[in-house]
Amino acid sequence: MIIRKTPAELEKMRASGLLVHSILAELAGMVQEGVTTMDLEVAAEKMIRDAGARPAFKGYYVPAVGQRFGFVLCTSVNDEIVHGLPSTKVELRKGDIVSIDTGVELNGWFGDSATTVPVGEPEPKVKRLLDVTKESLERAIEQVRAGNRLFDICAAVENHVRANGFSIVKEYVGHGIGTQLHEEPQVPNYIDRRNDNPRLKEGMVFAIEPMVNAGAGDSKLKPDRWTAVAKDGSYSAHFEHCVAVTADGPWVLTRP
Ligand code: MG
Ligand code: MG
């Protein structure tokens, strides 16, 4: 069942979303050569606590891993797709890209967003990967309208990514969000015909999060059992926003 939110509840999700936005904006500004992903983690945790919120990821139990996640951020560098672990040993260098993904719970409501930031000026092909992934998210956001169907969101990402010669990562998907970090439905970045294709209704909220590889879409897990990485070692980009269906069209809760 997809839980629909009232306008008052959406306002609460908006507060969570704006907090996530401000954290990611701050972290993106910190990204430069020599910064470690643990530096980002430490700064993020302070911002979350100072705002009176709770980190959504830290302590989150993932049955597939059989462990709780240990950090407030996922930091995924270069060929890492998602769920990378912040570390004092991972120092960013010129030419790297880092996906920063975080979530918060504020007054019982969740926000979740991700961005991918280049370290220094990216090479043209890397810039194109970032642009295409971001554009695919924007196209998906445009589909978040009452009367459309879930597959309209999925297809918007898939079509744009394929048309530009990049690959969708299929193993990891977006999701509904509200009083839980992960609610129904799953929101894949491609049309998965094994899933239902419900009609979108006012009050539904989706965390849409294209994960796009420059090479093939295949992924594998690193020995840490959390970090998903592109099998062929190609760069991978990740952007995410929470988007509500409203009478006025899509409302992106995780940006001003
Ligand atoms: Mg998410
Ligand atoms: Mg996220």
Side-chain angles (χ1 to χ4, degrees), residues 57 101 112-113 173-175 177 181-182 207-209 238 240 242:
F57 297 178
D101 187 356
D112 183 9
S113 184
V173 299
H175 49 94
I177 181 167
L181 177 61
H182 295 122
I208 307 171
E209 46 182 315
H238 177 209
E240 176 180 23
C242 294

Side-chain angles (χ1 to χ4, degrees), residues 53 72 74 79 86 108-109 115-116 124 139-140 143 154 195 202 204 222 225 233 235 239 250 252 255:
V72 308
C74 299
D79 59 342
W109 294 87
T115 187
T116 302
R139 284 170 183 241
Q143 297 301 317
C154 308
N195 291 353
E202 266 179 54
M204 292 180 174
K222 280 196 161 179
R225 290 167 62 229
Y235 270 25
F239 290 86
V252 182
R255 73 178 167 209

Side-chain angles (χ1 to χ4, degrees), residues 97-114:
I97 58 173
V98 56
S99 153
I100 309 170
D101 187 356
T102 195
V104 303
E105 181 189 355
L106 182 64
N107 300 318
W109 294 87
F110 283 84
D112 183 9
S113 184

Side-chain angles (χ1 to χ4, degrees), residues 111 149 180 230 240:
R149 289 185 180 273
Q180 304 290 322
E240 176 180 23

Side-chain angles (χ1 to χ4, degrees), residues 38 41 45 55-60 68-74 84-87 102 226:
M38 184 56 80
E41 164 75 14
E45 180 152 21
F57 297 178
K58 196 170 183 173
Y60 188 87
R68 293 179 184 278
F69 192 73
F71 305 94
V72 308
L73 298 181
C74 299
L85 308 179
S87 167
T102 195
W226 287 101

